[in-house]
Amino acid sequence: MRHADRMAGSGTAGSGGSVHGVGGVNGIGGQQPVGVRATAARYALLPLRIFLGVTFVYAGIDKLTDSAFLSDSGTGSIGELMRQVRDTSALPWMVDQALKDPTAFGYVMAYGELAVGLGILVGLLSRLAALGGALISLSLWLTVSWQSDPYYYGNDLAYLMAWLPLVLAGAPYLSLDVAISKRRRRQGSQLFT
């Protein structure tokens, strides 16, 4: 058996497994996976977090530093983009809301992308950040890239699907969420000793 396939158990003599928490058993048959596979599985979402985080931070900064984008009208403006996609979007009423004040909508979009990107990169309120990223991607798919034919040419749907594992799992490793949780547990255990 290869090292990466071995399982380690530390339960009672002869049990071959370890029980963690109340009634919970980790791993297959109560055993904790060890080795390369376990490490790869543990950090599997990290590349996705880095990619989505960097991409959304970049998109937010790009919008905030582009004076043409944050205009109500003109080439490259959010207002012009919204007017172009209004009749081909799945939700024209959503585009109409954005067109009431395109500049404000552009700022909301840019700061939203920035907050989502930073949140998922550092792992702070990571499920909420991932939900925000999924909602931004969903709204972009239903408005801006809805007319893509075939549908898989529009990248916003792929971004939406990429956010969903992070909505479900959060950032269980290398995140501020984990550090804060550990600190709260330590402080809680000190209160009752």
Side-chain angles (χ1 to χ4, degrees), residues 25-81:
V25 177
N26 291 332
I28 299 170
Q31 298 175 341
Q32 282 286 61
V34 297
V36 175
R37 283 188 181 177
T39 301
R42 185 176 307 120
Y43 295 105
L45 293 177
L46 192 57
L48 191 59
R49 277 178 55 201
I50 293 168
F51 171 75
L52 291 171
V54 168
T55 301
F56 270 59
V57 167
Y58 178 80
I61 291 171
D62 189 45
K63 287 174 179 65
L64 289 172
T65 58
D66 184 357
S67 59
F69 177 80
L70 294 171
S71 299
D72 287 347
S73 60
T75 305
S77 69
I78 183 69
E80 185 63 29
L81 175 64

Side-chain angles (χ1 to χ4, degrees), residues 6 22 24 26 36 46 51 57 68 70-71 84 87 89 98 100 121 135-136 154-155 163 176 183 190-191:
R6 277 188 265 177
V22 179
N26 291 332
V36 175
L46 192 57
F51 171 75
V57 167
L70 294 171
S71 299
Q84 287 174 358
D87 294 332
S89 75
K100 287 182 180 179
L121 273 176
L135 291 174
I136 288 170
N155 64 352
W163 281 111
L176 290 177
R183 184 169 186 224
Q190 290 172 357
L191 292 175

Side-chain angles (χ1 to χ4, degrees), residues 18 95 120:
S18 62
V95 178
I120 207 66

